[in-house]
Amino acid sequence: MEPRRRRNRQEARSVDRELLIEIGCEEIPASWLPGLTRQVGGQLDARLKELRLDTDAPAETYSTPRRLTARVVKVAERQTDFEELVTGPPASAAFKSDGEPTPAAVGFAKKYGVEVAALERKETPKGPYLAYTVRQRGKATVDVLPDVMAGLLRSLTFPKQMRWDAYLEDGKGDLVFARPIRWLVLLYGGRVVPFVIRRTELAQGPTVQDIRTGANTYGHRFLTTSGRAGRAIKIKTFDDYEARLLENFVILQRSERESKIKRELETHARKLGGRVSGLVAAHSSLLQEVPDLVEYPSVVAGHYPVEFLQLPEEVLTTTMIHHQHYFPVVDDEGKLKPAFLAVTNTQAEKPEVIARNSERVLTARLRDARFFWDEDRKQPLESRIEGLSTILFHKSLGDYKQKALRVSRLAGHLAKRLGQPGAETQAAEAGRLCKADLATDMVRELTELQGTMGGIYAREEGKPEPVWKAIYYHYLPIGVEADAPPSRQQLGAAAATWAAVSLADKLDSLVGMFAAGERPTGSRDPLALRRQAQGAVKILADLPDLIGAETRVPVQALLEDAAHHGEFALDAQAGPALFTFIRERVTYLFQERGFDVRNIRAVLHAWPDVDVVEARLKLEALAQLSGSPELQGVATLFKRVKNITKDVPPVAEVLERPLREPAELALVTALPGLEAALREAAGRRDYRRAFTAIGALQPLVAKFFDDVLVMADEAQLRDARLSLVGRLRDRILDIADISEIVTD
């Protein structure tokens, strides 16, 4: 059955009212809030549309650690009416020869509570059928909103779900959520719409009861201008809601909380004689997270003993940023000062008390870090490789000692393949040591510093710059942007060694995991294989900029190298799956850099025997020639070339003798010049010239197809013409499959 729905706009009500929803929770993790806030808006809009409630604009969404809020400015007072045409049995099976209805017709009419005479005939591609139009008048919005609320609560997804002995009376079982819900606001036109979340009998008690919607929200837990902090606040409209929350020390707008934090950070940093502009840029991830940790932010400044500045800067900043959510302070030269800024969720009368407590916590952590620093340096990195045998990498791929040895072998080989044979020995050494810091106390405590600490310890031991920097940066890059770190300036003389080690580490993981049957799915990638692949293809795309390499490095050869040096067996399923996976990552990289997806398909047609640098250069050339009518003309004709020669194998030589038409002889004459031009352009990686040379053939190819019948009756002539067209196909495909760039 194919239902047909039609909204009855004539009876739609003109009265629109504001909808306000607030879900009050225990504190939601800061990293979840941005996604949840977007979800609330999208899911609310979807539920309103599904239940035929018209709105003038999408839902506005807001959040703090203790609440998820949505507001729709105008919601229609009633659902729109709809009609649904339901088809029944074929007319031929609905009536007997004497005109009496059959049981099929009677049953269909009975299903909708009408007489057979009330049914209509509907013409369909399969013939006439009985049909009935079901008409339903829209319900009042207040009667539908409980279903909207239930659908919204059920539709939200979370990184981790919590069962908290709650359920809805919709027959779908427990209501799981990010955190236990403590209160609900569901106001329509300023009035409460009844809705309830039930608590199970085992959970019921004096302080655990059903959660019912009301007109009360709650302010800051600890701050108040009068009365008791965190008391109930009666509201009626969104403007009233936002204003009353602010009066009770809750800033609803996330952007306002962020602006307040920035202003106070700058003020306090100036008082400390430091700079905050570079600080905010360097630690933007922290600034993105902190507004979702607080409802009414303020900043306090603290200090730590100057002796801790002897620790590596990376240890200090990681301890402050990742473990304490503090902002380090730097001087005018960008060097750390023995001070920090902390964002608090209160407006303290005595900020020095908060600062003192923060200083105690940070000092204790830094004291531990100094102990780890001193102890770790008593053993060289080389001696820790044996300890890696106690740390499992993967059940099918062995421990981290085995991985380090595989990376070492592959890194040395890749240094030669990248055209940097002088880096072979250093790449092998850096590959062997790159995982050694996993066995150090510092990395066990500050896991964010893996790789980084290995590089620092190698530097302290006096290892050459290419070795320690290759270790330091080997987990990077993690982004696909052309300017994603590390930069050529950061790498310096270590660029080639780093590229070999970083690629070896990522390719070993990718090939090994696919060989072991571990493959990411659309929603699941626990081993971060997408990130590993993204880093690898970013390196390959930017090799000339990073290390100045001009050597052709096909993706297929790299993956085969990793399989060989890791002794991985890629079976008939794993191999193609891996090639497809890497192609998707290359496509994603080029799309993120703004290249047309048709051009991407054109330059990746020979996958996996593709050099990513060459693909990038070809895309840049195609982007410059996107408006070329000649190239578009040849591309259009090239579709025809491919179709005609789909069964023709690669052509070594054109069979010229039977050819006699002027148009085909002209193409034969032009072909050697095209081949020479393409060879020279490809040798110089001047792909703009290559595509220009292809475009110049447009008049000759068009004339050929206008004047020449390729599939001639005479077999010898047909074979000669197919050899000519096949040769043209092969030479153009050496550069790109330009049929993909044709504009539909």
Side-chain angles (χ1 to χ4, degrees):
M1 290 189 302
E2 291 293 335
R4 176 175 58 85
R5 298 190 176 187
R6 184 176 64 210
R7 293 184 174 182
N8 187 342
R9 300 289 182 181
Q10 295 177 347
E11 295 190 13
R13 296 284 184 172
S14 60
V15 179
D16 296 306
R17 292 181 177 175
E18 179 185 77
L19 173 64
L20 176 61
I21 295 175
E22 183 189 48
I23 306 170
C25 305
E26 294 183 6
E27 275 80 357
I28 300 172
S31 60
W32 298 9
L33 271 182
L36 274 177
T37 309
R38 288 190 296 270
Q39 270 196 71
V40 168
Q43 294 296 344
L44 178 56
D45 288 337
R47 301 290 83 76
L48 292 171
K49 183 178 180 181
E50 178 185 352
L51 292 168
R52 308 191 321 278
L53 291 174
D54 283 344
T55 63
D56 283 359
E60 303 168 6
T61 54
Y62 310 87
S63 63
T64 76
R66 297 175 60 219
R67 71 200 76 229
L68 298 169
T69 302
R71 175 217 190 184
V72 183
V73 177
K74 291 183 180 180
V75 179
E77 195 177 38
R78 299 189 68 86
Q79 287 179 304
T80 54
D81 300 340
F82 82 97
E83 295 178 357
E84 184 179 19
L85 183 68
V86 184
T87 56
S92 59
F95 298 96
K96 301 176 183 177
S97 57
D98 58 2
E100 286 295 313
T102 63
V106 173
F108 179 65
K110 186 178 180 180
K111 180 179 179 180
Y112 294 99
V114 297
E115 298 294 330
V116 174
L119 303 177
E120 57 185 295
R121 285 175 176 253
K122 173 69 175 176
E123 290 295 333
T124 73
K126 296 181 180 180
Y129 276 69
L130 286 191
Y132 179 70
T133 301
V134 179
R135 294 180 175 84
Q136 181 178 327
R137 178 167 171 74
K139 297 178 182 179
T141 297
V142 291
D143 295 329
V144 181
L145 283 177
D147 292 333
V148 172
M149 189 71 174
L152 175 62
L153 292 172
R154 290 284 189 196
S155 64
L156 299 179
T157 59
F158 319 98
K160 292 183 180 179
Q161 297 184 137
M162 176 179 285
R163 295 187 181 277
W164 51 292
D165 294 321
Y167 66 96
L168 300 180
E169 295 176 320
D170 57 2
K172 297 182 180 179
D174 289 352
L175 173 65
V176 296
F177 212 72
R179 291 292 184 268
I181 296 173
R182 293 304 181 218
W183 74 89
L184 285 175
V185 173
L186 180 56
L187 293 179
Y188 176 60
R191 296 186 178 182
V192 175
V193 179
F195 181 81
V196 60
I197 299 175
R198 299 290 183 188
R199 304 302 300 272
T200 63
E201 288 186 15
L202 292 176
Q204 293 277 5
T207 59
V208 180
Q209 299 178 354
D210 293 341
I211 298 146
R212 299 178 182 275
T213 52
N216 291 333
T217 186
Y218 294 85
H220 198 284
R221 285 185 184 273
F222 313 115
L223 300 177
T224 182
T225 52
S226 62
R228 178 176 55 84
R231 69 184 189 279
I233 307 164
K234 193 172 182 63
I235 56 172
K236 192 169 185 179
T237 67
F238 174 78
D239 291 339
D240 180 39
Y241 166 76
E242 187 174 25
R244 295 298 305 278
L245 280 178
L246 186 58
E247 291 171 7
N248 287 270
F249 297 94
V250 175
I251 300 175
L252 185 63
Q253 297 268 8
R254 184 190 183 283
S255 58
E256 292 181 11
R257 298 198 298 272
E258 184 175 347
S259 296
K260 188 174 189 294
I261 292 169
K262 284 182 178 179
R263 289 193 304 271
E264 294 198 19
L265 285 174
E266 290 174 359
T267 300
H268 283 79
R270 281 197 298 269
K271 290 179 181 178
L272 292 170
R275 294 186 297 108
V276 75
S277 58
L279 177 70
V280 172
H283 305 298
S284 58
S285 60
L286 178 60
L287 191 56
Q288 288 298 313
E289 184 179 8
V290 168
D292 290 320
L293 289 169
V294 294
E295 291 191 317
Y296 195 82
S298 62
V299 174
V300 298
H303 298 80
Y304 55 88
V306 69
E307 65 195 67
F308 290 122
L309 290 178
Q310 297 174 4
L311 288 170
E313 181 177 313
E314 295 86 347
V315 173
L316 292 170
T317 55
T318 298
T319 302
M320 285 186 270
I321 293 172
H322 293 285
H323 289 253
Q324 299 303 124
H325 292 97
Y326 295 164
F327 288 82
V329 179
V330 297
D331 60 22
D332 291 337
E333 296 179 356
K335 296 181 179 179
L336 283 174
K337 296 174 68 69
F340 63 90
L341 301 173
V343 178
T344 68
N345 190 30
T346 185
Q347 196 174 45
E349 294 181 2
K350 295 182 178 181
E352 63 275 8
V353 175
I354 297 176
R356 194 158 51 245
N357 289 333
S358 299
E359 289 168 352
R360 276 202 294 267
V361 173
L362 179 59
T363 299
R365 281 195 171 274
L366 293 180
R367 198 172 285 125
D368 289 343
R370 184 174 59 185
F371 173 78
F372 298 145
W373 169 249
D374 292 337
E375 289 299 307
D376 285 345
R377 287 184 298 156
K378 292 178 181 178
Q379 288 182 255
L381 279 179
E382 191 78 41
S383 69
R384 296 189 181 275
I385 294 177
E386 193 59 40
L388 295 178
S389 61
T390 64
I391 306 174
L392 182 66
F393 173 59
H394 186 273
K395 60 184 179 181
S396 300
L397 305 177
D399 53 52
Y400 269 96
K401 178 183 177 182
Q402 292 170 296
K403 177 171 175 62
L405 296 178
R406 291 197 304 267
V407 171
S408 177
R409 293 194 300 268
L410 182 57
H413 173 79
L414 291 182
K416 290 191 293 183
R417 183 176 281 283
L418 296 177
Q420 310 289 326
E424 180 182 354
T425 302
Q426 292 175 332
E429 181 181 9
R432 189 175 66 257
L433 298 175
C434 68
K435 304 298 179 183
D437 64 356
L438 295 177
T440 64
D441 292 333
M442 185 74 81
V443 171
R444 289 193 190 101
E445 178 69 16
L446 303 177
T447 56
E448 300 87 355
L449 289 176
Q450 57 185 297
T452 301
M453 285 312 304
I456 292 172
Y457 288 140
R459 182 182 63 197
E460 291 293 309
E461 292 177 20
K463 297 291 184 184
E465 180 182 350
V467 173
W468 75 257
K469 279 193 173 181
I471 299 170
Y472 187 97
Y473 290 115
H474 83 276
Y475 283 107
L476 298 178
I478 58 174
V480 298
E481 301 80 11
D483 59 351
S487 65
R488 179 67 182 269
Q489 184 177 7
Q490 288 173 311
L491 293 168
T497 306
W498 162 78
V501 174
S502 183
L503 274 175
D505 179 40
K506 294 169 175 57
L507 294 176
D508 175 82
S509 294
L510 287 166
V511 177
M513 291 300 179
F514 269 77
E518 299 280 8
R519 302 172 197 172
T521 63
S523 60
R524 187 174 175 275
D525 185 17
L527 301 172
L529 296 184
R530 284 191 184 88
R531 187 176 64 195
Q532 300 262 34
Q534 216 61 77
V537 300
K538 196 275 180 188
I539 295 172
L540 294 175
D542 296 328
L543 276 175
D545 307 310
L546 289 169
I547 68 174
E550 296 293 338
T551 306
R552 189 173 187 272
V553 189
V555 171
Q556 181 172 359
L558 288 173
L559 296 176
E560 289 172 351
D561 287 345
H564 172 72
H565 286 85
E567 298 181 354
F568 303 130
L570 290 171
D571 58 29
Q573 290 184 330
L578 176 59
F579 289 139
T580 300
F581 177 71
I582 301 295
R583 177 175 181 149
E584 290 170 353
R585 298 299 94 201
V586 173
T587 300
Y588 173 75
L589 178 144
F590 287 139
Q591 284 182 301
E592 287 296 296
R593 296 193 182 184
F595 294 112
D596 190 305
V597 68
R598 292 168 301 184
N599 293 352
I600 297 171
R601 288 197 299 265
V603 303
L604 296 183
H605 79 97
W607 189 266
D609 187 24
V610 171
D611 173 54
V612 183
V613 172
E614 287 184 352
R616 189 193 96 187
L617 296 175
K618 291 173 184 178
L619 287 170
E620 291 169 352
L622 283 173
Q624 295 170 356
L625 296 170
S626 59
S628 168
E630 293 81 13
L631 186 58
Q632 283 289 335
V634 175
T636 302
L637 293 168
F638 195 61
K639 282 181 173 285
R640 191 170 176 183
V641 169
K642 286 177 59 183
N643 287 334
I644 291 173
T645 60
K646 61 183 178 182
D647 296 323
V648 176
V651 177
E653 185 177 356
V654 176
L655 305 174
E656 296 184 27
R657 182 172 299 176
L659 302 177
R660 53 182 178 269
E661 295 290 338
E664 60 192 4
L665 293 175
L667 190 56
V668 168
T669 302
L671 198 54
L674 172 69
E675 293 175 339
L678 294 183
R679 278 197 304 271
E680 182 182 356
R684 297 166 52 191
R685 292 191 167 182
D686 183 357
Y687 292 107
R688 175 168 182 152
R689 182 180 177 188
F691 286 119
T692 301
I694 292 171
L697 282 180
Q698 193 273 338
L700 290 177
V701 178
K703 181 71 172 170
F704 174 83
F705 281 114
D706 286 342
D707 296 355
V708 176
L709 177 63
V710 176
M711 305 304 289
D713 293 334
E714 184 184 338
Q716 190 177 19
L717 180 59
R718 181 174 64 249
D719 291 344
R721 288 173 176 172
L722 283 173
S723 72
L724 173 59
V725 179
R727 185 73 172 179
L728 175 66
R729 174 204 61 193
D730 295 345
R731 296 292 72 76
I732 293 178
L733 286 178
D734 286 342
I735 305 299
D737 182 358
I738 59 172
S739 67
E740 295 284 358
I741 75 173
V742 176
T743 304
D744 293 334

